[in-house]
Coordinates of all heavy atoms in Angstrom, one line a residue:
N550 N 9.2 1.9 2.1 CA 8.5 0.9 1.3 C 7.6 -0.1 2.2 O 6.5 -0.4 1.9 CB 9.4 0.1 0.5 CG 10.0 0.9 -0.7 OD1 9.4 1.8 -1.2 ND2 11.2 0.6 -1.1
K551 N 8.3 -0.5 3.3 CA 7.6 -1.4 4.2 C 6.3 -0.8 4.8 O 5.3 -1.4 4.9 CB 8.5 -1.9 5.3 CG 7.9 -2.9 6.3 CD 7.6 -4.2 5.6 CE 7.0 -5.2 6.6 NZ 6.6 -6.4 6.0
K552 N 6.5 0.5 5.2 CA 5.4 1.2 5.8 C 4.2 1.3 4.8 O 3.1 1.1 5.1 CB 5.9 2.6 6.2 CG 4.8 3.6 6.6 CD 5.3 5.0 6.8 CE 4.2 6.0 6.9 NZ 4.8 7.4 7.2
N553 N 4.5 1.7 3.6 CA 3.5 1.9 2.6 C 2.9 0.6 2.1 O 1.7 0.6 1.7 CB 4.1 2.7 1.4 CG 4.2 4.2 1.7 OD1 3.5 4.7 2.5 ND2 5.2 4.8 1.1
E554 N 3.7 -0.4 2.1 CA 3.1 -1.8 1.8 C 2.0 -2.1 2.7 O 0.9 -2.6 2.3 CB 4.2 -2.8 1.8 CG 3.6 -4.2 1.3 CD 4.5 -5.4 1.8 OE1 5.5 -5.1 2.5 OE2 4.1 -6.5 1.5
F555 N 2.3 -1.9 4.0 CA 1.2 -2.3 5.0 C 0.1 -1.3 5.1 O -1.1 -1.6 5.2 CB 1.8 -2.5 6.4 CG 0.9 -3.1 7.4 CD1 0.2 -4.2 7.1 CD2 0.7 -2.5 8.6 CE1 -0.7 -4.8 8.0 CE2 -0.2 -3.0 9.5 CZ -0.9 -4.2 9.2
L556 N 0.5 0.0 4.9 CA -0.6 1.1 4.9 C -1.6 0.9 3.8 O -2.8 1.0 4.0 CB 0.1 2.4 4.8 CG -0.9 3.7 4.9 CD1 -1.6 3.6 6.2 CD2 -0.1 5.0 4.8
G557 N -1.1 0.5 2.6 CA -2.0 0.2 1.5 C -2.9 -1.0 1.8 O -4.1 -1.0 1.5
Y558 N -2.3 -2.0 2.5 CA -3.1 -3.2 2.9 C -4.2 -2.8 3.9 O -5.3 -3.3 3.8 CB -2.1 -4.2 3.5 CG -2.6 -5.6 3.7 CD1 -2.8 -6.4 2.6 CD2 -2.8 -6.1 5.0 CE1 -3.2 -7.7 2.8 CE2 -3.2 -7.4 5.2 CZ -3.5 -8.2 4.1 OH -3.9 -9.5 4.3
V559 N -3.9 -2.0 4.8 CA -4.8 -1.5 5.8 C -5.9 -0.7 5.1 O -7.1 -0.9 5.4 CB -4.2 -0.7 6.9 CG1 -5.2 -0.1 7.9 CG2 -3.2 -1.6 7.7
Y560 N -5.5 0.3 4.3 CA -6.5 1.1 3.6 C -7.5 0.2 2.8 O -8.7 0.4 2.8 CB -5.8 2.0 2.6 CG -5.3 3.3 3.2 CD1 -4.2 3.9 2.6 CD2 -5.9 3.9 4.3 CE1 -3.7 5.1 3.2 CE2 -5.3 5.0 4.9 CZ -4.3 5.6 4.3 OH -3.8 6.8 4.8
A561 N -7.0 -0.8 2.1 CA -7.8 -1.7 1.3 C -8.9 -2.4 2.2 O -10.0 -2.5 1.8 CB -7.0 -2.7 0.5
H562 N -8.4 -2.9 3.3 CA -9.4 -3.6 4.2 C -10.4 -2.6 4.8 O -11.4 -3.0 5.3 CB -8.6 -4.3 5.3 CG -8.0 -5.6 4.9 ND1 -6.9 -5.7 4.1 CD2 -8.5 -6.9 5.1 CE1 -6.6 -7.0 3.9 NE2 -7.6 -7.7 4.4
N563 N -10.0 -1.3 4.8 CA -11.0 -0.3 5.3 C -11.8 0.3 4.2 O -12.4 1.3 4.4 CB -10.2 0.8 6.0 CG -11.0 1.5 7.1 OD1 -12.0 1.0 7.6 ND2 -10.5 2.6 7.7
Q564 N -11.7 -0.4 3.0 CA -12.5 0.1 1.8 C -12.1 1.5 1.3 O -12.9 2.2 0.7 CB -14.0 -0.1 2.0 CG -14.4 -1.5 2.3 CD -15.9 -1.7 2.3 OE1 -16.7 -0.8 1.8 NE2 -16.4 -2.7 2.9
K565 N -10.9 1.9 1.6 CA -10.3 3.1 1.1 C -9.4 2.8 -0.1 O -8.2 2.8 -0.1 CB -9.5 3.8 2.1 CG -10.3 4.2 3.4 CD -9.4 4.9 4.4 CE -10.1 5.4 5.6 NZ -9.2 6.0 6.6
Y566 N -10.1 2.4 -1.2 CA -9.4 1.8 -2.4 C -8.5 2.8 -3.1 O -7.4 2.5 -3.5 CB -10.4 1.1 -3.3 CG -11.3 0.1 -2.6 CD1 -12.6 0.1 -2.9 CD2 -10.7 -0.9 -1.8 CE1 -13.5 -0.8 -2.2 CE2 -11.5 -1.8 -1.2 CZ -12.9 -1.8 -1.4 OH -13.7 -2.7 -0.8
I567 N -9.0 4.0 -3.3 CA -8.2 5.0 -4.0 C -6.9 5.4 -3.2 O -5.8 5.4 -3.7 CB -9.1 6.3 -4.2 CG1 -10.2 6.0 -5.1 CG2 -8.2 7.4 -4.8 CD1 -11.2 7.1 -5.3
E568 N -7.1 5.6 -1.8 CA -6.0 5.8 -1.0 C -5.0 4.7 -1.0 O -3.7 4.9 -1.0 CB -6.4 6.1 0.4 CG -7.2 7.4 0.6 CD -8.7 7.1 0.5 OE1 -9.1 6.2 -0.2 OE2 -9.5 7.9 1.1
A569 N -5.5 3.5 -1.0 CA -4.6 2.3 -1.0 C -3.8 2.3 -2.3 O -2.5 2.0 -2.3 CB -5.4 1.0 -0.9
K570 N -4.4 2.5 -3.4 CA -3.7 2.5 -4.7 C -2.6 3.6 -4.7 O -1.5 3.4 -5.2 CB -4.7 2.6 -5.8 CG -4.0 2.5 -7.2 CD -5.1 2.6 -8.3 CE -4.4 2.4 -9.7 NZ -5.4 2.5 -10.8
M571 N -3.0 4.8 -4.3 CA -2.0 5.9 -4.3 C -0.8 5.6 -3.4 O 0.4 5.9 -3.8 CB -2.7 7.2 -3.7 CG -3.8 7.7 -4.7 SD -4.7 9.1 -3.9 CE -3.3 10.3 -3.7
V572 N -1.0 4.9 -2.3 CA 0.1 4.6 -1.4 C 1.0 3.5 -2.1 O 2.2 3.6 -2.0 CB -0.4 4.1 0.0 CG1 0.7 3.4 0.8 CG2 -1.0 5.2 0.8
Y573 N 0.3 2.5 -2.7 CA 1.1 1.4 -3.3 C 2.0 2.0 -4.5 O 3.1 1.5 -4.7 CB 0.2 0.4 -3.9 CG -0.3 -0.6 -2.9 CD1 -1.6 -1.1 -2.9 CD2 0.6 -1.2 -1.9 CE1 -2.1 -2.0 -2.0 CE2 0.1 -2.1 -1.0 CZ -1.2 -2.6 -1.0 OH -1.6 -3.5 -0.1
E574 N 1.4 3.0 -5.2 CA 2.2 3.5 -6.3 C 3.4 4.3 -5.9 O 4.2 4.6 -6.8 CB 1.2 4.4 -7.2 CG 0.2 3.5 -7.9 CD -0.8 4.3 -8.7 OE1 -1.0 5.6 -8.4 OE2 -1.5 3.8 -9.6
K575 N 3.5 4.6 -4.6 CA 4.7 5.3 -4.1 C 5.9 4.4 -3.9 O 7.0 4.8 -3.7 CB 4.4 6.1 -2.8 CG 3.4 7.2 -3.0 CD 3.1 7.8 -1.6 CE 2.1 9.0 -1.7 NZ 1.8 9.5 -0.4
I576 N 5.6 3.1 -3.8 CA 6.6 2.1 -3.5 C 7.6 1.9 -4.7 O 7.2 1.8 -5.8 CB 6.0 0.8 -3.1 CG1 5.2 0.9 -1.8 CG2 7.0 -0.3 -2.9 CD1 4.4 -0.3 -1.4
S577 N 8.9 1.9 -4.4 CA 9.9 1.8 -5.5 C 9.8 0.5 -6.1 O 9.5 -0.6 -5.5 CB 11.3 2.1 -4.9 OG 11.6 1.1 -3.9
S578 N 10.2 0.5 -7.4 CA 10.1 -0.7 -8.2 C 11.1 -1.8 -7.8 O 10.9 -3.0 -8.2 CB 10.3 -0.4 -9.7 OG 11.6 0.2 -9.9
D579 N 12.1 -1.5 -7.1 CA 13.1 -2.5 -6.7 C 12.8 -3.0 -5.3 O 13.6 -3.8 -4.7 CB 14.5 -1.9 -6.7 CG 14.6 -0.7 -5.8 OD1 13.6 -0.2 -5.3 OD2 15.8 -0.2 -5.5
Y580 N 11.6 -2.7 -4.7 CA 11.2 -3.2 -3.4 C 11.1 -4.8 -3.5 O 10.6 -5.3 -4.5 CB 9.9 -2.6 -3.0 CG 9.4 -3.1 -1.6 CD1 10.2 -3.1 -0.5 CD2 8.1 -3.6 -1.5 CE1 9.7 -3.5 0.7 CE2 7.6 -4.0 -0.3 CZ 8.4 -4.0 0.8 OH 7.9 -4.4 2.0
V581 N 11.6 -5.5 -2.5 CA 11.7 -6.9 -2.6 C 10.3 -7.6 -2.7 O 10.2 -8.6 -3.3 CB 12.4 -7.5 -1.3 CG1 11.6 -7.2 0.0 CG2 12.7 -8.9 -1.4
Y582 N 9.2 -6.9 -2.3 CA 7.9 -7.5 -2.4 C 7.0 -6.7 -3.4 O 5.8 -6.6 -3.3 CB 7.2 -7.5 -1.0 CG 7.7 -8.6 -0.1 CD1 8.6 -8.3 0.9 CD2 7.4 -9.9 -0.4 CE1 9.1 -9.3 1.7 CE2 7.9 -10.9 0.4 CZ 8.8 -10.6 1.5 OH 9.3 -11.6 2.3
I583 N 7.7 -6.2 -4.5 CA 7.0 -5.4 -5.5 C 5.9 -6.3 -6.2 O 4.9 -5.8 -6.7 CB 8.0 -4.8 -6.5 CG1 7.2 -3.8 -7.3 CG2 8.6 -5.9 -7.3 CD1 6.7 -2.6 -6.6

C-alpha cells in the first residue's frame, strides 16, 4: 500500500494520470491513508 501510494503520487506529477489512478485503485480500503 505504501509503495503504491507514493507511486501514484509520482505518476500524477509526471502527468501519467491514468497510470496513477490504476495504482491508487489497487490500495486496500483499510489502508491508514485511504
Side-chain angles (χ1 to χ4, degrees):
N550 288 331
K551 180 65 177 178
K552 166 188 171 180
N553 284 329
E554 184 201 0
F555 190 50
L556 185 57
Y558 193 71
V559 174
Y560 278 152
H562 281 78
N563 210 11
Q564 298 189 20
K565 298 179 180 179
Y566 305 133
I567 296 176
E568 293 91 332
K570 185 176 179 181
M571 291 174 62
V572 166
Y573 278 140
E574 289 175 343
K575 294 178 181 178
I576 296 175
S577 59
S578 59
D579 59 349
Y580 179 52
V581 65
Y582 286 103
I583 192 62

